[in-house]
Amino acid sequence: MYRIVSILIALISGLGVVNAQSEQYIELMGQADKYIAESEWQMAEETLREALELEPDCPTNVMLYSNLGVVLYNQGRDEESIEALDQAHRLAPRSINILSLRARIHRSLGHNAAAMSDYEDMILLDSTLVQPRQDHALLAIEMGKSRWAVKDCKSLEAMGTDNIDAMTACGNIYATLKRWREATEYYTNAILVKPSADLYASRALTYLMTNKLTEASADISSGLELEPENPRLFYYRAHLNKSRYLKDDARSDMKRAVELMPRRGM
């Protein structure tokens, strides 16, 4: 969630519009920020709406509408949430952050066409961004448009094999397509730039899916050296041990993976 109070103070001060009313506006933002942090959604909504009513023409209201969209979404008021984000977008049509937030909410609601449109707008605004292309590709796969995903990967590949984010995204896209050998190549490129436990885990999965158990074992070991409590690595090692008929070891690793999941997530 956005931490907006200090940003608002700086922006409003820079605009030269600090007065008694805007000080109250800032105070309301501080209260809303606190309510959001505590998941007090109803109180956050009331405070944000009060601030919007107090300063309806304030240029920083784009942040308020963006936060209001999140607050309404967390109350299960989906259409109102989208309306608030639409208003934020009207105030800041070139904001990647607002488009990204709106796309995530559209996607969570199953509004795939609307989410796809937001991803495409983000790519048009900045073609060097990796995350919107990856999200666009993964949604395209979900919609049965695999060729779009491959095209996205080609655009990411053009960013260079030394771009770790682009290589990781391509690996994720091809893994989702179950094109394991291609996914392996991209994860390898990323590992060559900067090894990480998560990258080793991702490549280990591709090896498991192509029955390269020795290579999978090596990646799992390398990953655990970097991050001894990575749940994905224990999860994949459980499957590796199951494939090797080491049932007790498999059960132990699966138990450890489950123990670690709430702490770190999968």
Side-chain angles (χ1 to χ4, degrees):
M1 214 58 67
Y2 301 112
R3 306 292 295 181
I4 58 176
V5 178
S6 60
I7 298 173
L8 285 170
I9 292 171
L11 285 172
I12 293 173
S13 298
L15 291 168
V17 293
V18 174
N19 51 42
Q21 191 176 44
S22 61
E23 287 175 7
Q24 184 182 354
Y25 178 85
I26 293 169
E27 184 179 347
L28 287 167
M29 292 306 93
Q31 293 173 7
D33 199 40
K34 178 176 178 290
Y35 289 136
I36 289 170
E38 296 172 352
S39 300
E40 293 284 349
W41 306 120
Q42 182 61 43
M43 293 300 297
E45 178 191 352
E46 292 174 7
T47 308
L48 287 167
R49 291 193 187 280
E50 185 178 350
L52 287 165
E53 185 176 349
L54 185 67
E55 293 275 9
D57 298 320
C58 185
T60 55
N61 280 350
V62 60
M63 300 182 198
L64 277 66
Y65 280 112
S66 179
N67 280 279
L68 182 59
V70 174
V71 166
L72 291 167
Y73 175 74
N74 279 283
Q75 294 181 78
R77 293 156 63 186
D78 302 337
E79 294 305 320
E80 291 177 83
S81 170
I82 294 298
E83 287 173 8
L85 291 170
D86 286 346
Q87 179 61 22
H89 178 60
R90 282 190 286 271
L91 292 172
R94 298 184 64 82
S95 169
I96 297 290
N97 287 336
I98 290 169
L99 284 167
S100 178
L101 178 58
R102 189 172 68 176
R104 288 200 300 273
I105 291 179
H106 273 311
R107 191 165 181 184
S108 73
L109 298 173
H111 302 165
N112 288 346
M116 187 67 81
S117 177
D118 281 344
Y119 293 139
E120 289 169 355
D121 285 346
M122 283 185 268
I123 292 167
L124 285 172
L125 286 168
D126 189 346
S127 62
T128 68
L129 293 175
V130 171
Q131 193 63 50
R133 280 204 185 273
Q134 175 178 280
D135 291 339
H136 183 273
L138 296 178
L139 182 54
I141 295 168
E142 188 178 316
M143 296 170 68
K145 300 180 184 295
S146 298
R147 284 182 295 179
W148 292 10
V150 172
K151 184 178 178 182
D152 280 326
C153 196
K154 296 301 180 186
S155 296
L156 290 164
E157 187 177 349
M159 297 180 187
T161 57
D162 60 342
N163 186 319
I164 188 170
D165 292 331
M167 293 299 100
T168 302
C170 283
N172 294 341
I173 291 164
Y174 278 111
T176 303
L177 287 167
K178 295 182 169 44
R179 291 168 59 168
W180 303 112
R181 287 179 174 80
E182 288 152 299
T184 300
E185 292 175 10
Y186 286 111
Y187 289 137
T188 298
N189 288 337
I191 288 168
L192 288 172
V193 176
K194 186 177 181 181
S196 72
D198 283 331
L199 282 171
Y200 278 121
S202 295
R203 191 172 68 176
L205 174 62
T206 70
Y207 286 140
L208 285 171
M209 298 305 294
T210 51
N211 204 35
K212 294 183 177 181
L213 303 187
T214 301
E215 290 87 342
S217 180
D219 271 2
I220 291 167
S221 296
S222 295
L224 288 171
E225 287 179 10
L226 294 173
E227 189 178 331
E229 295 191 344
N230 184 296
R232 289 179 66 205
L233 290 166
F234 281 101
Y235 180 77
Y236 294 149
R237 195 169 71 178
H239 285 276
L240 173 67
N241 285 328
K242 184 179 178 181
S243 298
R244 290 174 165 175
Y245 303 102
L246 301 172
K247 293 182 180 180
D248 289 342
D249 290 341
R251 278 193 292 268
S252 176
D253 282 335
M254 186 61 73
K255 180 182 177 182
R256 187 64 179 140
V258 171
E259 290 171 351
L260 292 170
M261 279 182 212
R263 211 178 302 172
R264 186 182 184 277
M266 288 290 283

